[in-house]
């Protein structure tokens, strides 16, 4: 996520009509927004987030020079350690940002394929199985399982979707179900393959950049309408989380 920073509008000891003031404020913030539009455009995941690539490379180059400099102040051994750290950071940033860019593109493509199936059950299953873990091998194995399940769901859907549609809406439901089944026959296996590529690339990115997944230890504390912070109660926190998720 990227932040758009708009310069504030300020006038001191001036007199304006309401209309003129509104026009000036509007023109000011329109100008500020268009100056920052590149942040939105270059941050789009469908483009692979080019801005993220640039920032990642900049961070790697900075580390390449800063770490040896910081080590040189302390001594020769620290200089060597700083040089090694800087090189590893640069390589990790270069590989990680490039792989991450491709992963974002495949992730968007996989989501699009899941959407056109019009199958809510498949979309929910896809989201559950795409949750990353701390184990790279487990993530890649889960991606491979998604490929198999995509083929299974695609093939079985050609039969089950028309039958379910016919039972619910008669002949019209049968036709709709048949259409969903045919689309799913193509889109679900393709989506599974794309998701596998995205999951694998994401695992490579985390390995290259030494990225760690941080998971919540407990549900957020439930704070009532009076705003008072009370001792933590597990079942209240869990209930609040369930009610407010998504």
């Amino acid at each position: 996520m990227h932040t758009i920073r708009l310069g504030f509008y300020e006038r001191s000891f001036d007199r304006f009509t309401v209309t003129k003031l509104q026009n000036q404020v509007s023109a000011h913030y329109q100008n500020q927004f268009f100056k920052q539009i590149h942040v939105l455009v270059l941050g789009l995941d469908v483009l692979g987030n080019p801005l993220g690539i640039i920032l990642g490379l900049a961070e790697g180059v900075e580390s390449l020079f800063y770490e040896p400099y910081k080590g040189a102040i302390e001594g020769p051994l620290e200089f060597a350690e700083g040089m090694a750290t800087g090189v590893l950071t640069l390589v990790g940033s270069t590989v990680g940002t490039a792989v991450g860019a491709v992963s974002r593109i495949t992730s968007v493509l996989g989501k699009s394929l899941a959407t056109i199936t019009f199958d809510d059950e498949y979309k929910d299953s896809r989201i559950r199985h795409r949750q990353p873990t701390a184990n790279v091998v487990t993530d890649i194995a889960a991606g491979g399982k998604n490929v198999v399940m995509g083929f299974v769901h695609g093939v079985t859907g050609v039969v089950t979707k028309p039958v379910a549609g016919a039972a619910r809406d008669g002949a019209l439901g049968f036709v709709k179900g048949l259409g969903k089944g045919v689309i799913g026959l193509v889109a679900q296996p393709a989506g599974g393959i794309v998701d596998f590529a995205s999951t694998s690339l994401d695992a490579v990115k985390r390995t290259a950049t030494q990225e760690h997944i941080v998971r919540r230890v407990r549900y957020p504390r439930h704070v009532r309408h009076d705003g008072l912070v009370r001792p933590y109660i597990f079942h209240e926190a869990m209930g609040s989380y369930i009610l407010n998720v998504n």
Side-chain angles (χ1 to χ4, degrees), residues 8-9 33 50 68 89 98 113 133 142 160 186:
F8 63 88
Y9 177 84
F33 177 77
T89 303
L113 288 170
T133 67
T160 59
V186 177

Side-chain angles (χ1 to χ4, degrees), residues 1-2 36-53 104:
M1 183 175 68
H2 302 287
Q36 296 289 316
I37 195 67
H38 68 281
V39 175
L40 289 178
V41 175
L42 295 180
L44 291 175
D45 284 347
V46 72
L47 300 178
N49 195 351
L51 184 61
I53 297 177
R104 289 187 180 92

Side-chain angles (χ1 to χ4, degrees), residues 196-208:
F196 174 70
S198 178
T199 302
S200 301
L201 290 170
D202 189 58
V204 171
K205 171 183 174 291
R206 296 205 312 268
T207 302

Side-chain angles (χ1 to χ4, degrees), residues 117 119 121-122 149-165 173-186 188-189:
T117 63
D119 188 335
E121 182 181 350
Y122 170 72
M149 294 307 296
F151 278 97
V152 172
H153 287 160
V155 172
T156 57
V158 176
V159 177
T160 59
K161 295 298 180 184
V163 172
F174 177 84
V175 174
K176 289 182 179 179
L178 182 60
K180 288 183 179 180
V182 172
I183 293 174
L185 180 62
V186 177
Q188 290 186 12

